[in-house]
Amino acid sequence: MAETWLSQEAHDRLLAELEQLKSEGRDEISAEIEEARAHGDLRENAEYHAAKDEQGKMEARIRQLEHLLRDVRIGQPESTDTVLPGLLITFEVDGDTETWLLGSREDTHDEYPVLSSESPIGQAILQHGVGDTVTVEAPQATFDVTITAIAAS
């Protein structure tokens, strides 16, 4: 798995979300389940099943955030010689030039969209430098990408 870089703002936002889900979120869903349970027969209690489904989704998000935040790097790489997560990458595809922040889909950037380093393009351009042309094998197509610039975000 590629290294995960997050901006300080994204890290703080995700950490706050995790804490909220683990404290208030769990308390709220437990109260909803208890209230629905008090309505009687659980086999035909749609409110109870909806609350349990919501609890499952919340616990999955907690696990996802814990996994993401466990080995995260905050900031950005210092070297801009090769494509690494946390950097702005400009590349050309079929004559169109695009600039993306290579990183986690959990991150945001004020000016540029985020390209996951785990996506087909992200995986293909990792560790390559300016001027390199790489072939991207996406689910629906195969195409070439030429890296034209690498910069700090």
Side-chain angles (χ1 to χ4, degrees):
M1 184 169 133
E3 199 168 40
T4 300
W5 286 81
L6 290 175
S7 65
Q8 185 65 54
E9 296 81 12
H11 181 264
D12 294 346
R13 178 178 47 81
L14 294 174
L15 198 56
E17 179 185 353
L18 177 62
E19 291 306 312
Q20 189 278 331
L21 289 173
K22 289 173 81 172
S23 58
E24 297 166 22
R26 282 181 171 156
D27 292 343
E28 289 171 8
I29 200 69
S30 291
E32 287 178 30
I33 291 170
E34 285 304 313
E35 182 180 328
R37 188 177 302 204
H39 293 150
D41 188 1
L42 298 181
R43 290 177 293 174
E44 297 180 19
N45 187 332
E47 189 177 329
Y48 172 79
H49 292 291
K52 290 297 281 183
D53 285 346
E54 197 61 35
Q55 181 185 40
K57 290 175 188 173
M58 185 182 69
E59 292 299 326
R61 179 65 175 161
I62 288 171
R63 286 189 302 277
Q64 178 187 27
L65 289 171
E66 287 175 337
H67 178 73
L68 177 68
L69 294 170
R70 185 176 317 130
D71 298 318
V72 72
R73 304 264 322 252
I74 300 170
Q76 63 189 31
E78 292 183 19
S79 170
T80 57
D81 294 338
T82 60
V83 173
L84 295 169
L87 297 175
L88 287 175
I89 313 302
T90 303
F91 53 85
E92 193 174 294
V93 179
D94 294 330
D96 294 327
T97 301
E98 302 178 20
T99 300
W100 295 74
L101 170 66
L102 186 66
S104 167
R105 60 189 166 98
E106 297 286 353
D107 213 339
T108 58
H109 191 279
D110 293 336
E111 194 173 341
Y112 299 102
V114 176
L115 174 66
S116 170
S117 55
E118 296 177 11
S119 69
I121 294 176
Q123 289 178 353
I125 64 175
L126 274 174
Q127 301 298 323
H128 286 276
V130 173
D132 290 352
T133 298
V134 296
T135 300
V136 177
E137 303 224 8
Q140 301 295 322
T142 299
F143 53 92
D144 289 334
V145 172
T146 302
I147 302 163
T148 58
I150 302 170
S153 60

